Amino acid sequence: MNEYHIVTTWQDDHNMIMPRHPDKDTKSRISYFLDWMAFTGRNWLTPDLAVYRDFLLNERVRIDLLTGSEIEARLSPSTVQAHLATIRGRYQELLRDNYVRQKLYNVAPPQLGIGDKKAFVDEILVRLQNATHPSTATVEVVTVQDVADSEYLRLKPDEVRALLRAPGINTLHGLRDTAMMALMVCTGIREAELVALDVPDIKQKLNGEVSIHIREGKGNKARLVPYGALDWCVLYVEEWLSSAKIYRGSVFRGFYKGNKHVRPTRISTRAVNNIMNRYPIMIDGDLRDVKPHDLRRTYARNAYENGMDLERIRQNLGHSSLQTTQTYIGELDVQQRRPPRMFNPPHKLTQLRGASES
């Protein structure tokens, strides 16, 4: 193994490591890893997860190899742990794949005999097994029970009202932004689900209830979310569609220069974030930007506080587990966490006063 070096291209590495039909998170994490390997001169046969871990934890920016632009790269320990778990999982699949073994036989130096080729391939696979073992490149993750209010926003009803009033509805631009934010806070949908909406998706039926249709949510899961008493948000969307003369295709679109004429193509998730950054609101005396995912948390928290069952909230949000839904609801107010009087003191409390002094 020390005498021979197998040269691969970026495309070779991509074809080998990237699964055939990856989900969104897997594709993103492995693409990130492939870019790093290409940038540092490594290939799929020489992963160094400890170095990669340190890069993810400590580097503030990376260079996008396609555009040359700088991209924020420093990640939290829990996110780094998820990245490494995805990469390890993919390597475990490769190590069990006979196609990989055969490919390694094919690229082994031709001067090796059959027995030496087998030893060559076995050595590579063992080294890959060791290099991607969970004991390598461990990440220390601090578990946080209570998250400060400043970390995530969950808007109160009056704050929701302030946010939705900020764009105004007297311009086409403002009407679109109001409709967009109203729909997110009234249904809890993700920004990626928002931009993927087509006109027929806005009004579908679920057991007779008017609902929004998410054709492809996270994990390729489709779902319907009933509006219930929040169906007023549909009026804003319909007014936007009518004013913008949109009768088919994508619901939310950008504007040509001048903000008067609507483009035929749908907006991006980045555009959704940029739009919302234009409408900061006062929260506890501070001017705060509200992010799209804050509206998803706002939906979950307010639905729960108004008596909606946790399982129903989970279904509407499209979560796989109740535990995830609980993180969106967040920690309850301190008053709600006060324990009841489960025990009584064994003495009269007046007897305690001064007892230690006597």
Side-chain angles (χ1 to χ4, degrees), residues 49-64:
L49 296 191
V51 175
Y52 186 55
R53 171 203 60 196
D54 294 342
F55 167 76
L56 295 178
L57 287 171
N58 301 313
E59 292 292 329
R60 290 194 173 275
V61 295
R62 71 179 175 97
I63 304 299
D64 187 295

Side-chain angles (χ1 to χ4, degrees), residues 102-123:
Q102 185 60 51
K103 186 174 180 63
L104 291 174
Y105 268 106
N106 294 340
V107 299
Q111 63 267 40
L112 294 178
I114 295 177
D116 289 337
K117 279 191 175 183
K118 181 179 184 304
F120 176 85
V121 172
D122 288 344
E123 178 68 11

Side-chain angles (χ1 to χ4, degrees), residues 176-193:
R176 180 204 62 181
D177 296 353
T178 303
M180 187 180 72
M181 293 190 293
L183 194 61
M184 283 192 286
V185 81
C186 289
T187 61
I189 61 175
R190 303 174 177 92
E191 61 263 43
E193 296 167 345

Side-chain angles (χ1 to χ4, degrees), residues 172 175-176 178-180 182-183 199-204 210-211 227 231-247 251-252:
L172 197 56
L175 183 60
R176 180 204 62 181
T178 303
M180 187 180 72
L183 194 61
V199 173
D201 298 329
I202 297 300
K203 293 181 74 172
Q204 294 292 324
V210 179
S211 308
Y227 294 106
D231 58 357
W232 51 263
C233 68
V234 178
L235 299 178
Y236 286 92
V237 179
E238 290 179 332
E239 184 63 25
W240 150 249
L241 293 174
S242 175
S243 299
K245 296 180 172 55
I246 298 173
Y247 307 109
V251 173
F252 294 106

Side-chain angles (χ1 to χ4, degrees), residues 49-287:
L49 296 191
V51 175
Y52 186 55
R53 171 203 60 196
D54 294 342
F55 167 76
L56 295 178
L57 287 171
N58 301 313
E59 292 292 329
R60 290 194 173 275
V61 295
R62 71 179 175 97
I63 304 299
D64 187 295
L65 299 180
L66 297 177
T67 66
S69 60
E70 291 186 347
I71 300 176
E72 184 70 25
R74 188 172 183 176
L75 304 177
S76 68
S78 60
T79 303
V80 172
Q81 191 177 58
H83 273 247
L84 295 177
T86 296
I87 295 165
R88 289 190 180 105
R90 180 55 183 153
Y91 268 97
Q92 290 306 307
E93 292 174 353
L94 294 176
L95 292 171
R96 295 191 298 268
D97 193 334
N98 286 331
Y99 168 77
V100 174
R101 177 175 283 272
Q102 185 60 51
K103 186 174 180 63
L104 291 174
Y105 268 106
N106 294 340
V107 299
Q111 63 267 40
L112 294 178
I114 295 177
D116 289 337
K117 279 191 175 183
K118 181 179 184 304
F120 176 85
V121 172
D122 288 344
E123 178 68 11
I124 292 177
L125 294 177
V126 168
R127 292 193 179 200
L128 284 176
Q129 178 76 44
N130 293 339
T132 57
H133 191 273
S135 62
T136 65
T138 57
V139 182
E140 182 177 348
V141 178
V142 177
T143 300
V144 179
Q145 175 183 321
D146 297 317
V147 179
D149 292 343
S150 58
E151 292 293 321
Y152 298 126
L153 291 180
R154 296 174 178 87
L155 306 184
K156 299 179 177 64
D158 60 325
E159 293 166 343
V160 171
R161 178 179 173 82
L163 178 67
L164 298 185
R165 289 181 65 87
I169 57 174
N170 296 325
T171 66
L172 197 56
H173 200 286
L175 183 60
R176 180 204 62 181
D177 296 353
T178 303
M180 187 180 72
M181 293 190 293
L183 194 61
M184 283 192 286
V185 81
C186 289
T187 61
I189 61 175
R190 303 174 177 92
E191 61 263 43
E193 296 167 345
L194 177 88
V195 302
L197 289 171
D198 286 335
V199 173
D201 298 329
I202 297 300
K203 293 181 74 172
Q204 294 292 324
K205 291 291 185 70
L206 177 63
N207 295 332
E209 287 279 336
V210 179
S211 308
I212 188 171
H213 183 205
I214 306 302
R215 287 174 284 108
E216 188 176 337
K218 191 173 183 179
N220 297 321
K221 293 183 294 186
R223 70 184 189 281
L224 287 159
V225 182
Y227 294 106
L230 301 177
D231 58 357
W232 51 263
C233 68
V234 178
L235 299 178
Y236 286 92
V237 179
E238 290 179 332
E239 184 63 25
W240 150 249
L241 293 174
S242 175
S243 299
K245 296 180 172 55
I246 298 173
Y247 307 109
R248 63 182 65 84
S250 55
V251 173
F252 294 106
R253 311 178 184 191
F255 291 86
Y256 288 109
K257 189 175 181 180
N259 292 332
K260 292 182 179 180
H261 301 290
V262 178
R263 293 179 180 272
T265 54
R266 66 184 78 244
I267 60 174
S268 66
T269 54
R270 178 178 294 183
V272 175
N273 280 271
N274 291 339
I275 288 167
M276 292 192 59
N277 286 339
R278 299 171 188 160
Y279 307 113
I281 60 171
M282 293 298 296
I283 298 178
D284 296 330
D286 294 321
L287 195 62

